Amino acid sequence: MDSFKQEKVQKFEEFVDRRLKPDLVRAIAARDKIFEQQKVFSDLKRNIENLEKNGVNCLRSLVNLGSEVYMQADVPDTRHIFVDIGQGFHVEFTWSEALEFISVKEARLTRLRSIPI
């Protein structure tokens, strides 16, 4: 009977190692991606609200060209911004349109985060 229990324990450990641990790694990666997206949209929302509050119509900014190479960029009109909506697409929004999109996106990400994996 003792060898039977040992065999069962070994099969269960194999199942955990082959199936459950990889599933957990994927679930954690998916969760982390959602958290990162939430942070990006939260930061964008805060920046838009600061632009509105301070009445900023133009600005100078550092833009990452890639590989941590930056250059200065002049933005002559901040009333419209481009927002990455996913899949490599960017949409031009007014501030209010962008804030509305962000609210919808944040609600969707919150729902995704609460789905049990």
Side-chain angles (χ1 to χ4, degrees):
M1 189 77 158
D2 194 29
S3 66
F4 176 74
K5 287 181 182 179
Q6 194 129 10
E7 186 179 321
K8 284 285 197 185
V9 168
Q10 184 178 2
K11 284 184 179 185
F12 183 73
E13 286 174 347
E14 288 174 5
F15 173 74
V16 167
D17 288 340
R18 282 183 297 158
R19 178 64 188 202
L20 297 181
K21 284 183 180 178
D23 286 352
L24 179 60
V25 168
R26 282 191 293 277
I28 289 171
R31 181 205 61 190
D32 290 348
K33 184 176 179 182
I34 290 171
F35 284 151
E36 180 60 31
Q37 289 175 335
Q38 284 179 312
K39 182 182 180 335
V40 166
F41 283 110
S42 174
D43 290 348
L44 179 58
K45 181 179 180 180
R46 187 176 57 253
N47 288 336
I48 292 170
E49 288 169 344
N50 283 335
L51 289 172
E52 281 182 323
K53 180 177 137 187
N54 296 316
V56 177
N57 295 324
C58 61
L59 61 89
R60 178 171 278 194
S61 178
L62 285 178
V63 177
N64 188 346
L65 299 176
S67 300
E68 300 306 314
V69 175
Y70 292 86
M71 71 174 283
Q72 280 193 2
D74 288 319
V75 181
D77 183 4
T78 62
R79 291 176 296 170
H80 291 85
I81 62 170
F82 285 88
V83 177
D84 181 352
I85 62 167
Q87 303 297 323
F89 292 98
H90 294 78
V91 173
E92 183 177 1
F93 288 121
T94 63
W95 289 344
S96 60
E97 291 169 337
L99 290 172
E100 184 179 328
F101 173 78
I102 291 167
S103 293
V104 170
K105 192 71 170 179
E106 285 177 329
R108 182 178 174 275
L109 290 171
T110 299
R111 281 193 310 276
L112 282 175
R113 194 176 73 190
S114 65
I115 294 173
I117 297 175

